[in-house]
Each structure stands twice: as C-alpha cells, then as structure tokens.
Amino acid sequence: MHYSVDRSCVTHDRLEDEVIIINASTGSYYSGSGPAADLWTLFSQGTSIEEAAGKLAAEYSCDEDSVLQDVNRCVGFLLERGLLKQINDRPSPAAGLALPEIARQGWSAPNFDEYTDMWDLIKLDPIHEAGEVGWPIPKQ
Amino acid sequence: MMAPEALAEVAASRASAALTKRRVRKERFSIGGWPFQLIAPEDRPGEWLGRAFPVLDHHEKQNSADCHQLTAWDGTGREALPPWEPNDLVPLGVLERFSNEAIRCAVDIPTDSLIVCNFAQDWSLTCYPSIHDLPAWAKASPFRIILSWLCNRQGMQIVHGAAVALEGHAVLLAGPGGAGKSTTALACALAGLAYLGDDYCAIEPRTGQVHMVYRTAKLFKSSLDLIPSLFALIDNRDKIDMEKGVIFLRGDEVSLARSAKLSAILLPRVGNGSATTLYPATRADAVKAILPSTVGGLMGGTSVTPRLIMELVHSVPSFHLALGKDLKSVVDTVASLVAVPHA
C-alpha cells in the first residue's frame, strides 16, 4: 500500500529542513523538520511505509526495524488528520525516491507540530458571529 | 451540471447587463508593479471601491497596456442572482464544482459576494448585494480574495499584516487582530515613517520586498484614544461606536510607500510596561503569527502559499515586539530596527 498527499485539500511545501502543511478542509496547519520533513517529502512522492523506512534508515544510517515502527506511528497521525490518502501505486516508481542533499542530524521519531488556530478563524461565521468590527474579530 | 466556463459566461453577461444601466468608473491600479484595471459603479458618493487603492501617478495611469480587468457590480435583481445551489458551497467559500485550472469561483462569506476569476482570459468579477451598504471595513479592503489569487500568480503573497518603512527599508508587523499592528503602523506613520498598510500587505520573497495593497487603515476606538489626532481622518465617524474606524490615507497626511525592501518581521503584542521592548523570535513564531489569519482570511490560500510564507520567514529575522504604553517608545524601537538592514 502506497500513500500520497491528499491534494484535494492539502497544500504543502518544503524549504531546506522544514515543511509546512495546510489542511484547508479542517483549518489546521502542521510544521515539521528533520526526519519529519524527510518522511513528508517521501510521502509527497507516493511511497509505501516500507519503502520510506528503508530509504530513511539508509539516509540516517540506523536500524530499519526501529525506523519502521516510528514511520508507522507517524503515518497513523497523518492519516487521522486527513493529510495523506492511500493509493494503489506510486505515480512514477521508476524514478526512485529522492530526498534533498542536506546535512542531517541523527534519527529521531518524526514529529509534526499541529496548530489549530486557523480553525478558530474559519469556523467563525462572519455574518452571525462577527461583531460590527468585522471578521475575524468576534463579538465581545 | 453547469461547467465553470459556462458559469463564468453567465456571470460576465449579468455584469455587463447590470453595468450598462449604471454610471461606471474605470481606473488602473497596481500591486508591486503588477497592474490591474478596476471597473465598478460610482452612482453615489462613497461607492467607488477604487478609493481603497493607492493612486498611481499620471504616467502609470495612462499606460494602456493590457492588464487584468477586475469588474464589480451589485444588485438584488435577476442579473445579480447567484447561478448555484446553496449546497454547492464548501466551508471556506470556494465553489469547487465551478472551479478548474482556468476559472475559480467562490463566495466571500463576510460580504456575501460572488467571485469569479477567469485566469485564462485575465478577468475577474465580483457581485455584491449592495456596494453602497458594505460595511466600512469591507470598503477599506475590497477584492482581497481575488487579489490574493492573482498576486500568487505573480510570486507575491498577500499576508495579514501591517508594514512601515524608513529610507526604503520596511518591517512587517504580523499577528492576530488586537495585537497592535494598526496602532503601531499609524503611530510610526504620524512620526514620519512611510506607511504601506495596516491589515493586508503583499510580500514578494523573490525580490525581498513588501508592497502596499490598500492605502487604508482600520482602528479600534481604543486605538483612537491613544492617537486622538487620527479622529479627524476617520471616514465613518458617525459609526465609530459600532465598528472599526476606517481611514483612507492620502499622501499629504502621511508618507505612503508603494514598495520597500523588507528588513525584519515584528510580532507585536500589548505589553505591560511603558517602554517597548524587542527580543528575537523563532521562524516558527513568525509562521504562527502570519499563517493562520492569512490563510483563514484568504480562503485557504493557493498551492504556492506555504512556499511563499516559508520563504518570507527564512529571508529576514523575526522579533517579538512588546508594546509599551509610551507611543514614542514604540516608534523609536521600530524605527531603530528598520534603519538597520539585517543579514
């Protein structure tokens, strides 16, 4: 089973060692760095959990079994948040998985910070709940 | 089901039919050098939505080169009825059923207006229930959704933030409503710094610049109490107890800058002391200050929004700005930072 970014509601990008991911449907955004940014980069290429673990273990020179456990946990988080979707095949399997060539620290379990502030603005009905001051300032 | 192209054509023909009965004004404006022409009714005083934009100089105004045509109309008759069903809407307002690569349709929920943008043919339409009856804050920052989509295509991102500049170098003030962006920006402008906006500005990471989008300012009454000299400039003085005061700033009142090189990002918050203090912020702090209200207020942004915001926070340092009660201290602190370009 491969996973890919759910492009119907998710926008994302990576710069150097960081990724930002926005889920416009839920109004949450996520940031991650290091192993989290690398894992996200691999999923944006349509990888499977096993392929990702293998690639990351090689990149970070560490034990593939422990990486696999960390990746499994993180995939559960990303699926729950609606950021990934299951796909049947990687879009371009011949191309191979690629990660940017940057200096890497040691392996640690991938972790994304979750921010739900945006939802507070989006869920605010500007017609009925906003004051005369105007959205996004709620009525006092 | 109506295709996006068909909906765009219906909206365009309704706009055309509605505007033939109206006194219409056309004027050219620009954001960061990207030009657009606004075509909108001006039947009654205060109705012209172009009033919110900085006025171009004579040479720029006379430029007849093709540019984006941004048309607005209003009404409650058949020509203004939305050609969709209520369940076509998605939470943020984008009408996915009527959107594709070439056309994007949405409803701006705060103003209950229909937005149709035809990227392929470089025109867009906005239909309001009543332009005249729009709240003052909406007249002060019109078309922000369309402009944000179009700016994204030019490598710019409209962000929720204020900006002021000194000698061509600017700081961006970012944070939630009530953090002190407008008060800081206007206090600085009155002290001689150039003003680029207090609510929405356009950033352009490729050139490292920040650009004015609107020449307006919106102030809580509490801010007017701090800077009472601004009261005379308020456009909606009669409603100041009910809504934010809106100012349409002119170049003879404060120095207005259309663009400046960005030096730093400031994250203001109301502090406890009388003096204003400054201390370093992380990139994550800056993203947290800029991204939620920017993306929340611009229908989720577009696919390039995360990249442009990341490039912004990577390009300049960020600082927390704990605002003191002494406005002179606020101005001096901001001015000292603007004057020193940061690597």
Side-chain angles (χ1 to χ4, degrees):
Chain A
M1 181 59 66
H2 289 71
Y3 296 88
S4 184
V5 176
D6 187 349
R7 295 182 197 282
S8 66
C9 58
V10 175
T11 56
H12 63 101
D13 216 324
R14 174 174 184 151
L15 189 61
E16 299 173 6
D17 194 32
E18 296 175 47
V19 287
I20 290 180
I21 307 156
I22 300 171
N23 186 335
S25 285
T26 63
S28 298
Y29 77 96
Y30 304 83
S31 66
S33 59
D38 284 338
L39 179 59
W40 182 260
T41 299
L42 295 175
F43 281 125
S44 70
Q45 297 167 49
T47 187
S48 69
I49 290 175
E50 293 74 19
E51 282 176 329
K55 178 75 177 171
L56 291 169
E59 202 72 38
Y60 285 84
S61 305
C62 55
D63 174 59
E64 189 168 333
D65 286 342
S66 65
V67 170
L68 184 61
Q69 285 183 22
D70 293 339
V71 169
N72 261 313
R73 271 194 294 273
C74 193
V75 167
F77 173 87
L78 297 171
L79 284 169
E80 265 181 30
R81 268 55 177 189
L83 303 175
L84 293 182
K85 64 178 182 181
Q86 293 185 345
I87 55 174
N88 291 330
D89 292 301
R90 184 145 51 93
S92 52
L97 295 168
L99 288 172
E101 290 182 14
I102 55 172
R104 289 183 166 80
Q105 309 289 322
W107 174 258
S108 59
N111 180 50
F112 290 89
D113 292 323
E114 181 179 33
Y115 301 93
T116 55
D117 323 48
M118 201 164 75
W119 180 240
D120 294 335
L121 300 178
I122 291 168
K123 72 181 179 184
L124 183 69
D125 177 336
I127 305 301
H128 301 105
E129 292 185 50
E132 286 298 317
V133 164
W135 188 84
I137 308 299
K139 279 180 181 168
Q140 299 301 308
Chain B
M1 185 182 91
M2 185 182 275
E5 286 76 9
L7 181 137
E9 285 308 312
V10 169
S13 65
R14 289 181 180 183
S16 177
L19 288 176
T20 54
K21 306 167 193 165
R22 310 285 293 274
R23 182 179 166 209
V24 174
R25 180 168 168 180
K26 297 180 182 180
E27 191 167 331
R28 199 177 175 97
F29 299 103
S30 82
I31 299 170
W34 170 76
F36 62 95
Q37 184 180 47
L38 175 60
I39 303 164
E42 193 186 26
D43 296 304
R44 290 182 278 182
E47 195 174 50
W48 170 238
L49 290 170
R51 193 179 172 212
F53 299 108
V55 179
L56 299 188
D57 63 32
H58 180 73
H59 175 71
E60 289 174 295
K61 267 188 186 175
Q62 295 308 310
N63 187 340
S64 59
D66 286 345
C67 66
H68 185 86
Q69 303 283 305
L70 199 163
T71 303
W73 83 104
D74 63 356
T76 53
R78 188 189 168 280
E79 72 277 7
L81 286 175
W84 65 78
E85 300 299 323
N87 59 5
D88 286 332
L89 293 175
V90 296
L92 287 182
V94 175
L95 290 153
E96 292 292 353
R97 278 181 55 195
F98 302 114
S99 299
N100 57 25
E101 283 294 306
I103 289 165
R104 203 166 192 200
C105 295
V107 172
D108 181 40
I109 298 167
T111 57
D112 199 21
S113 52
L114 163 67
I115 297 167
V116 180
C117 193
N118 189 327
F119 299 110
Q121 297 178 7
D122 212 14
W123 54 257
S124 56
L125 306 165
T126 301
C127 179
Y128 297 95
S130 167
I131 292 173
H132 184 266
D133 295 330
L134 282 173
W137 57 264
K139 287 180 183 171
S141 50
F143 312 114
R144 73 185 192 294
I145 303 292
I146 284 179
L147 292 175
S148 74
W149 295 345
L150 294 165
C151 280
N152 277 169
R153 292 185 164 231
Q154 306 299 320
M156 295 185 278
Q157 173 68 48
I158 291 183
V159 293
H160 183 224
V164 290
L166 188 63
E167 296 173 356
H169 292 279
V171 290
L172 179 73
L173 296 145
K181 298 188 299 293
S182 294
T183 310
T184 303
L186 284 164
C188 289
L190 289 174
L193 275 73
Y195 180 89
L196 288 105
D198 81 325
D199 203 13
Y200 287 100
C201 296
I203 55 99
E204 188 177 20
R206 180 182 53 207
T207 61
Q209 289 192 304
V210 56
H211 307 292
M212 175 182 279
V213 178
Y214 305 111
R215 63 180 180 95
T216 54
K218 293 177 263 185
L219 282 168
F220 287 115
K221 191 168 182 303
S222 56
S223 297
L224 285 168
D225 293 339
L226 282 173
I227 318 176
S229 60
L230 289 173
F231 190 80
L233 306 179
I234 297 286
D235 196 61
N236 53 335
R237 282 195 289 268
D238 56 327
K239 295 180 181 170
I240 195 67
D241 288 327
M242 298 181 291
E243 61 184 16
K244 261 185 172 179
V246 169
I247 301 173
F248 292 80
L249 288 160
R250 298 198 314 257
D252 58 348
E253 293 162 344
V254 295
S255 169
L256 301 176
R258 298 257 301 279
S259 300
K261 189 87 174 169
L262 190 63
S263 289
I265 299 167
L266 300 183
L267 315 179
R269 62 175 176 79
V270 180
N272 295 322
S274 76
T276 293
T277 54
L278 200 63
Y279 56 99
T282 65
R283 287 203 295 256
D285 293 336
V287 169
K288 198 169 186 318
I290 296 167
L291 193 142
S293 55
T294 293
V295 173
L298 297 173
M299 290 189 187
T302 72
S303 61
V304 300
T305 297
R307 157 70 44 162
L308 292 171
I309 290 180
M310 272 203 293
E311 287 180 350
L312 166 69
V313 301
H314 276 255
S315 67
V316 290
S318 299
F319 300 90
H320 292 288
L321 183 72
L323 299 169
K325 292 181 173 60
D326 175 14
L327 275 184
K328 185 174 182 309
S329 168
V330 172
V331 173
D332 289 347
T333 306
V334 173
S336 68
L337 193 69
V338 181
V340 184
H342 297 267

